[in-house]
Amino acid sequence: MITPIRSQRLYIGELDESLAESVHKNSLDEDNRRFVPDEVFETIDEARERIKALISFYSRKDMPLVYPVILNDGRQIGHVQAVPIEGRWEVGYHIAKQYTGRGYATEAVRAFIEPIMKWLGISRIYGICRTENIASRRVLEKCGFSLVFVGSGPYHGEKQNICRYEYEG
Ligand SMILES: CC(C)(COP(=O)(O)OP(=O)(O)OC[C@H]1O[C@@H](n2cnc3c(N)ncnc32)[C@H](O)[C@@H]1OP(=O)(O)O)[C@@H](O)C(=O)NCCC(=O)NCCS
């Protein structure tokens, strides 16, 4: 995907190793631990190793594509991603707790969705979250996703009550 993608208050760039500390710190908040435990990096080194792997995926279309969300003043506040799952692509996002409630996730997903779909050559993308993750559901709804399934399903390796949304480009 061609980066940076700019919106009013932020831009979406590419990961580099200098972001290891902020990726580590941002990942530690309670909502991330609760809803996306496999994206918590307990140390800077752990974050750096993950970043190195993710950088190597940017040229591919069969591995997770993760992009940092950065405020115009340079602070990294979270990420957006597209992840291949069983032949489909799923959108994901995280905004660090101290920056939530200001519309940043919605702004980032809105800016990201069309360019990433175009780059992947797809016309449909999914959004899957736990039913109780109300903030995440609101983000998808505000970004134009339609709810297509509510029920029990696999989520990060466990059976959970989930919602599946779809967006058609
Ligand atoms: C989900 C997440 C990305 C939201 O980030 P954000 O920047 O606060 O999102 P926005 O400000 O764009 O929108 C959040 C919406 O949820 C609403 N919301 C937040 N918490 C809520 C709650 N407990 N109950 C009801 N609505 C809630 C907000 O009011 C807002 O909706 P509104 O604009 O209609 O008022 C962030 O909380 C996060 O990263 N959580 C942990 C990781 C995660 O769950 N990722 C998604 C995995 S599927």
Side-chain angles (χ1 to χ4, degrees):
M1 188 178 68
I2 296 164
T3 55
I5 297 169
R6 293 190 182 276
S7 63
Q8 198 183 357
R9 297 177 295 170
L10 46 83
Y11 65 95
I12 295 165
E14 287 198 358
L15 288 166
D16 68 67
E17 287 183 45
S18 71
L19 293 173
E21 186 170 354
S22 69
V23 167
H24 151 68
K25 283 188 179 156
N26 286 344
S27 78
L28 301 177
D29 69 56
E30 76 251 32
D31 288 344
N32 208 37
R33 286 188 188 281
R34 179 173 171 207
F35 291 119
V36 208
D38 51 356
E39 291 176 13
V40 175
F41 307 107
E42 300 293 352
T43 65
I44 297 176
D45 282 346
E46 216 181 292
R48 187 178 295 107
E49 286 312 305
R50 185 62 180 154
I51 286 171
K52 279 191 210 166
L54 291 170
I55 289 170
S56 74
F57 300 159
Y58 281 140
S59 55
R60 303 175 55 159
K61 291 187 180 170
D62 59 347
M63 295 297 275
L65 296 168
V66 180
Y67 301 89
V69 173
I70 302 169
L71 293 180
N72 283 331
D73 67 9
R75 277 176 293 165
Q76 190 237 342
I77 61 167
H79 70 264
V80 286
Q81 64 187 20
V83 178
I85 292 175
E86 295 166 5
R88 304 185 297 218
W89 285 87
E90 181 189 333
V91 70
Y93 36 84
H94 173 235
I95 296 294
K97 186 76 180 168
Q98 72 205 90
Y99 299 105
T100 55
R102 302 180 211 175
Y104 286 134
T106 303
E107 185 172 331
V109 172
R110 274 189 189 141
F112 176 62
I113 208 81
E114 292 287 345
I116 193 68
M117 288 174 73
K118 191 172 173 197
W119 193 76
L120 291 169
I122 56 175
S123 56
R124 181 173 299 193
I125 196 161
Y126 295 85
I128 299 170
C129 53
R130 279 172 52 186
T131 310
E132 65 201 82
N133 193 347
I134 305 293
S136 181
R137 294 179 63 175
R138 279 297 297 145
V139 170
L140 292 170
E141 286 159 7
K142 289 191 289 179
C143 291
F145 283 68
S146 307
L147 182 62
V148 292
F149 173 80
V150 183
S152 181
Y155 187 78
H156 294 264
E158 284 178 27
K159 205 166 186 195
Q160 300 274 0
N161 283 325
I162 57 164
C163 294
R164 192 169 81 235
Y165 290 80
E166 276 179 25
Y167 178 93
E168 286 202 48

